[in-house]
Amino acid sequence: MQTYSNSVYGESVETPEHQEIFNPATGDSLGLAPISSESDVGSAVNAARKAQPDWARTSDQERRDAVVRVAQVLEENSEYLAELITREQGKPLSGPGSRFEMQASVGWTQVPAALELPPEIVYEDEERKDTLHRVPLGVVAAIAPWNWPLMIAIWQIIPSIRMGNTVVLKPSEYTPIATLEMVRLINQVLPPGVLNTVSGDGRIGAALTSHPDIDKIMFTGSEATGRRIIEASTRNLAPITLELGGNDAAIVLPGTDASAIAEGLFWGAFLNMGQTCACIKRLYVHESDYEAVVNALSNLAQQMPIGDGMDENNLIGPLQNKMQYDKVKDLVADARANGCEIMEFGTVPDTGYFLPLTLVGNIRDGQRLVDEEQFGPALPIIRYQSLDEAVASANRLDAGLGASVWADDPEQAQQVAVRLEAGTVWINQHGAIHPMVPFGGNKASGYGVEFGLEGLKAVTQPRVISIKK
Ligand code: NAD
């Protein structure tokens, strides 16, 4: 059985403890992932600390070149890593699956390499000149989730190293192998200590985020863990970028052509089996269009091949883990018990954590499947009578990551979009993130943004040089 290891100061580091990782589609073993100890966390942070001053002293151009080399390594190893993602995380190779995750990882590496954040004159008169420089923070702790394990790790790693920080990354304990392999490959083109890993569960995440030598925390995951990380950061005062869960509402405006929007709505809700932070998790449809929208989505759902993602014909895979599988089943069972209409599509294999694609009708605000983040392939479709009511519904929860408005007329949609409380409101698309466009949550979905120039600023600290003339 293959044993995988952490990377610290450019070396492969063994741990005495391991956990076996299984394919969520087949139950097959993938190998043994390391479990770090708290002293391993200390060693990884020390390695990053040791490497950081020299890395920060490299020129901007040298760091850009290094990030370009990382993009090349990702491209060269795309197929190997995509297959590992499919075996470990479950998303299929095809469609918006693991090959797509690798393409995105390459793109999110190339774009920060191309961006510039030069010093900025913020004030000047006859007597003084004040220039704002962006300097690295130091050592970044990056804590990643299991849904898009490589892409989200890249979101955390690349801007950090681009701006002169060094990184200690902890992948999710559900999906460590593909991420550790990616880091091993990337480290072939980075100086020792710039990118290090630890692995294990929340205990190791807590040891990392509370370490006194951490200068910045990048976290993507659940709201509950986000709150614990804020508490942990009182030990090091590290600023945090918090990308937390969402419960995104989509509103279809009255009279919208259902056939034109069905595919966008479908993938907006079922991307990665719904295990995506900014998926449509509640769909609000005017009562006059309800049947047309349900029919259009049903037609698409029944055509989707479900099964092991290593088979290139399949577009829908399993849930990633038993916890998530049980949670989605429980929410659907609750809706069923409360008289909702459960519409299930697809032939589900006997092995693995597969669930049918599920549309849930005759459901209202206040029911668990609407109010709780399902993070799975079960979409509640709620009828509304007036737009004011739909906007109030969309805004009534604490979550505020994304939202979307769907309409034949984008101008009309815009008037509704500005009323929605979310970090991004999409029109006639959902979850359409882009490496140049800042992305982050409002309300309980977190704070701080990633991507683009704003994302680079978030991994630096401002330093003003003020000259008397
Ligand atoms: P999670 O919070 O359970 O775990 C995320 C990571 O935090 C894991 O690596 C875990 O080991 C670690 N962790 C757990 N306890 C910790 C602690 N006390 N201190 C430090 N680290 C700790 O989340 P998950 O189940 O892996 O991810 C799913 C959630 O993430 C969903 O709510 C989803 O919406 C959200 N998410 C948000 C975004 C975004 O960009 N906003 C993107 C993807 C996922």
Side-chain angles (χ1 to χ4, degrees):
M1 187 182 303
Q2 190 159 354
T3 303
Y4 295 87
S5 38
N6 283 311
S7 299
V8 177
Y9 212 72
E11 302 281 331
S12 176
V13 176
E14 301 295 332
T15 53
E17 273 193 88
H18 295 90
Q19 61 160 341
E20 194 167 357
I21 301 293
F22 298 96
N23 181 328
T26 62
D28 293 343
S29 173
L30 290 185
L32 293 175
I35 299 183
S36 302
S37 64
E38 292 188 17
S39 88
D40 292 333
V41 173
S43 308
V45 174
N46 288 345
R49 171 63 60 207
K50 184 171 158 199
Q52 202 272 328
D54 282 348
W55 182 242
R57 268 194 294 272
T58 55
S59 70
D60 200 52
Q61 188 59 46
E62 283 173 281
R63 290 200 299 273
R64 291 171 77 163
D65 292 346
V67 173
V68 168
R69 288 197 299 275
V70 170
Q72 283 161 356
V73 168
L74 292 175
E75 238 168 349
E76 286 158 15
N77 293 281
S78 266
E79 193 57 21
Y80 168 67
L81 292 171
E83 288 186 12
L84 265 185
I85 294 172
T86 295
R87 289 204 172 90
E88 184 180 49
Q89 199 278 335
K91 64 171 69 75
L93 286 170
S94 307
S98 58
R99 287 184 181 136
F100 167 81
E101 179 165 357
M102 285 312 302
Q103 275 170 16
S105 301
V106 172
W108 259 274
T109 304
Q110 288 167 332
V111 168
L115 291 176
E116 285 181 56
L117 201 52
E120 186 190 339
I121 299 168
V122 287
Y123 185 73
E124 185 166 20
D125 63 18
E126 298 76 40
E127 286 161 19
R128 60 186 291 159
K129 180 176 169 184
D130 299 84
T131 310
L132 176 69
H133 297 248
R134 293 271 167 190
V135 301
L137 282 149
V139 177
V140 176
I143 308 277
W146 48 260
N147 57 344
W148 293 89
L150 273 62
M151 181 179 75
I152 291 177
I154 285 290
W155 294 353
Q156 300 174 332
I157 297 166
I158 297 299
S160 299
I161 65 174
R162 163 75 181 83
M163 296 314 295
N165 305 282
T166 55
V167 176
V168 180
L169 167 72
K170 191 195 84 61
S172 167
E173 62 274 31
Y174 290 108
T175 52
I177 287 179
T179 313
L180 294 180
E181 279 297 274
M182 176 180 77
V183 170
R184 179 181 67 77
L185 292 162
I186 288 178
N187 268 335
Q188 295 169 355
V189 296
L190 288 177
V194 171
L195 175 58
N196 311 276
T197 59
V198 293
S199 41
D201 60 14
R203 190 177 52 88
I204 293 306
L208 178 60
T209 49
S210 63
H211 193 288
D213 238 5
I214 291 298
D215 303 301
K216 165 83 191 182
I217 301 168
M218 304 279 289
F219 174 68
T220 297
S222 64
E223 184 189 332
T225 307
R227 289 182 191 279
R228 282 185 209 113
I229 287 178
I230 294 170
E231 283 169 21
S233 73
T234 58
R235 290 198 58 199
N236 46 36
L237 290 181
I240 314 176
T241 299
L242 271 187
E243 295 283 6
L244 307 180
N247 198 342
D248 293 9
I251 301 177
V252 179
L253 297 197
T256 305
D257 176 3
S259 63
I261 60 171
E263 197 168 345
L265 288 177
F266 178 85
W267 286 114
F270 293 107
L271 178 68
N272 195 22
M273 290 67 77
Q275 301 166 119
T276 300
C277 52
C279 258
I280 298 173
K281 291 172 182 155
R282 306 175 277 151
L283 176 59
Y284 292 89
V285 182
H286 190 261
E287 53 186 355
S288 61
D289 306 312
Y290 179 84
E291 266 183 35
V293 171
V294 170
N295 287 340
L297 286 174
S298 304
N299 286 341
L300 277 174
Q302 65 202 12
Q303 292 165 28
M304 290 293 159
I306 303 182
D308 182 353
M310 291 303 287
D311 175 342
E312 301 198 11
N313 295 313
N314 287 329
L315 293 176
I316 302 287
L319 282 270
Q320 202 282 323
N321 56 63
K322 176 135 186 357
M323 169 197 71
Q324 200 56 40
Y325 173 83
D326 288 343
K327 179 175 163 190
V328 177
K329 273 178 72 162
D330 180 44
L331 289 173
V332 173
D334 180 78
R336 196 189 300 271
N338 282 292
C340 301
E341 186 190 0
I342 312 292
M343 297 164 268
E344 294 180 327
F345 304 92
T347 313
V348 168
D350 297 334
T351 55
Y353 302 129
F354 288 95
L355 286 175
L357 295 169
T358 306
L359 303 175
V360 179
N362 192 25
I363 189 164
R364 291 179 311 280
D365 284 357
Q367 295 194 270
R368 284 183 58 208
L369 182 61
V370 178
D371 286 16
E372 295 176 27
E373 183 189 27
Q374 69 276 52
F375 217 57
L379 177 67
I381 309 178
I382 306 120
R383 296 170 204 253
Y384 70 83
Q385 268 115 41
S386 76
L387 260 181
D388 284 347
E389 175 200 329
V391 169
S393 285
N395 289 339
R396 64 180 266 280
L397 300 179
D398 282 343
L401 186 58
S404 57
V405 185
W406 302 73
D408 293 343
D409 174 9
E411 288 299 317
Q412 201 191 346
Q414 174 112 11
Q415 288 167 23
V416 179
V418 294
R419 298 171 63 192
L420 298 182
E421 295 164 2
T424 307
V425 184
W426 288 282
I427 292 176
N428 291 336
Q429 54 184 359
H430 198 105
I433 52 174
H434 187 284
M436 284 297 288
V437 181
F439 174 67
N442 287 182
K443 304 200 287 188
S445 292
Y447 45 73
V449 291
E450 295 180 279
F451 314 162
L453 282 176
E454 294 302 318
L456 290 188
K457 287 178 189 167
V459 285
T460 63
Q461 53 195 328
R463 180 164 300 158
V464 172
I465 307 291
S466 183
I467 305 173
K468 183 173 176 4
K469 285 185 173 171

